[in-house]
Amino acid sequence: MTGLINYVSCGALWLGLGAKLPDLIRHRDPFLRALSATLALGSLCFLLGAPPTVGAINRVSGIPNLAAPVTYAVITTYSASSMVLVVYWRGGPAVRHTARRWMAGYAVVVVALAVLFALGDAPAERRTDFDTYYSMTPYTAEMIVLYLVAHLIAVVATATATLRWARDVHGWLRGGLLTMALGTVLGTGYSISKLVAVAGHWCGQTWSPLVTQVAPAAAGLGALLFVAGTLIPLAGPRLSAWLLTWRAYVRLRPLEDELDEMLTRRHLRVPRPSWFSPTTLLVWRQTSIQNALGHLDANKLFDHDLYEQTHDAALLNASDAEAARAAAWAAIISAAVRIERSGQQTPAAGSDGRLLPRAPEPAALVHISAALASPGDAPASRPHRGTQGVEYP
């Protein structure tokens, strides 16, 4: 009876709460407050329901099974918080009034739980199977059924509203809502399994594993999915940006490799950053490439005629202006690098004062790098006069 599932679930919910706290502090939004309250109360439910915590509460209070109504009261409050969350999700002109009604209704349930426990008789401490053990005890049985039904109503309503909300949104938010809905549906397994076990006990059947094993597992898995759903809309866009940045960094590798020898020989490469985030690495690689292109341009090693020839041929083959420009730049960069490596510093053919198109933007470098990585797809280009035997790609 270590309560490992309870404590892991509690920690997961606190993780979600911690992720939402910065937004809560900055915005003071009623929806964020309801979400934070739901996460906090849900984590408290798991903490109080763990067998070691149950034993500690009973021992400190001196009242056998006092932990049961305390835990049930928190679960009921959690149910009310879930309903309030649903109300704020739906929105409307009477949001606050409706939320207050739900809170008032569940406050009555909490009071009823306390009264029923006081009227009932539960002298033998039961840390894990209280629900089935006292399911036939007057007043105590009613208390058990009341909190389970209140919890079931709340999770069903939350799942329904979340699924409705998910139909109206897209992207990471929709993914988060669907994950939360799945977690909430699994959360119904907690109250359903306990209600089935209680009903079985009324019929003379002993289904205690539903209470001691199935219910905690369903609640724990539901909590993990619920907190994951709250984090997905927050972390998803950041993850997408991280992956796109890293992808751009990797795709620039062929272009950097083409310029590598010159970058090293001419000391044009920017020092590698000590902080290896995708963004800093991408900027580092882009800056080194731009330094190399600037060096080639300053020495007038770009061949305008070759650019036009490659561009026109690519445009005829692909009818894609962006791909044609990338192929043309790839051709003249490769040719200029070979000229520069040979030691010839005379201007390339076709560089007699005519301007090339504007230097490629950082985003265009990726397409140029792709053209270099697949030279077989680029149109063949002819060698030009005045290059002293240097072959063009």
Side-chain angles (χ1 to χ4, degrees):
M1 295 192 300
T2 61
L4 179 61
I5 293 178
N6 294 70
Y7 293 134
V8 170
S9 302
C10 176
L13 289 170
W14 274 106
L15 177 64
L17 179 61
K20 289 295 182 182
L21 275 180
D23 290 335
L24 178 65
I25 295 173
R26 286 195 299 266
H27 301 294
R28 299 289 182 180
D29 184 78
F31 169 74
L32 288 176
R33 288 202 296 267
L35 178 58
S36 300
T38 302
L39 293 172
L41 290 168
S43 65
L44 191 58
C45 291
F46 287 109
L47 178 64
L48 295 176
T53 308
V54 170
I57 294 174
N58 295 337
R59 182 174 62 256
V60 171
S61 65
I63 303 174
N65 298 308
L66 178 64
V70 171
T71 303
Y72 296 166
V74 174
I75 291 175
T76 303
T77 307
Y78 164 79
S79 302
S81 178
S82 299
M83 300 297 268
V84 171
L85 182 62
V86 170
V87 170
Y88 279 114
W89 249 336
R90 289 178 177 174
V95 170
R96 293 188 178 182
H97 176 68
T98 306
R100 290 194 189 102
R101 284 197 305 170
W102 281 115
M103 293 297 292
Y106 273 79
V108 173
V109 175
V110 171
V111 173
L113 292 176
V115 172
L116 290 171
F117 180 77
L119 294 175
D121 185 22
E125 183 186 54
R126 310 299 300 185
R127 296 189 181 185
T128 59
D129 61 347
F130 181 91
D131 303 88
T132 51
Y133 189 85
Y134 288 107
S135 61
M136 299 182 70
T137 302
Y139 299 111
T140 306
E142 284 79 0
M143 177 189 70
I144 294 169
V145 173
L146 178 60
Y147 99 88
L148 289 175
V149 170
H151 174 268
L152 182 60
I153 291 173
V155 292
V156 169
T158 303
T160 302
T162 305
L163 289 172
R164 288 177 179 173
W165 179 271
R167 291 187 302 182
D168 300 329
V169 295
H170 303 280
W172 289 106
L173 178 57
R174 185 177 187 180
L177 290 171
L178 291 175
T179 304
M180 290 176 65
L182 179 59
T184 309
V185 169
L186 288 175
T188 62
Y190 173 83
S191 48
I192 290 175
S193 59
K194 287 199 170 189
L195 285 170
V196 170
V198 168
H201 197 261
W202 292 342
C203 298
Q205 302 295 323
T206 302
W207 295 335
S208 295
L210 289 175
V211 174
T212 60
Q213 299 177 21
V214 176
L221 182 58
L224 291 175
L225 289 174
F226 185 87
V227 71
T230 64
L231 293 175
I232 285 174
L234 177 66
R238 297 178 185 177
L239 178 61
S240 293
W242 189 93
L243 291 175
L244 288 174
T245 302
W246 181 258
R247 183 167 177 258
Y249 168 76
V250 172
R251 291 179 66 188
L252 284 176
R253 179 65 182 270
L255 179 54
E256 186 189 23
D257 287 345
E258 182 73 21
L259 301 168
D260 180 70
E261 189 273 338
M262 185 181 69
L263 284 169
T264 302
R265 178 164 45 84
R266 297 290 184 181
H267 305 289
L268 298 172
R269 180 178 279 108
V270 178
R272 192 178 183 89
S274 57
W275 175 252
F276 295 108
S277 73
T279 301
T280 56
L281 288 174
L282 177 61
V283 172
W284 167 71
R285 181 163 281 178
Q286 287 175 337
T287 304
S288 297
I289 290 172
Q290 294 286 11
N291 287 348
L293 297 182
H295 173 77
L296 295 173
D297 185 42
N299 288 276
K300 298 183 179 180
L301 298 179
F302 287 137
D303 189 333
H304 191 286
D305 291 340
L306 179 59
Y307 180 93
E308 288 185 343
Q309 175 206 1
T310 309
H311 178 272
D312 294 343
L315 197 58
L316 287 175
N317 292 335
S319 299
D320 185 337
E322 186 175 25
R325 286 193 295 270
W329 272 107
I332 64 171
I333 288 172
S334 183
V337 167
R338 296 188 183 197
I339 296 173
E340 200 276 344
R341 186 185 301 126
S342 71
Q344 176 185 343
Q345 295 300 315
T346 57
S351 61
D352 48 352
R354 287 178 292 170
L355 297 177
L356 287 168
R358 189 173 57 181
E361 299 290 334
L365 294 178
V366 173
H367 300 289
I368 297 171
S369 185
L372 283 168
S374 55
D377 297 335
S381 52
R382 61 176 174 83
H384 280 242
R385 291 172 298 175
T387 58
Q388 296 184 0
V390 177
E391 296 182 359
Y392 290 87

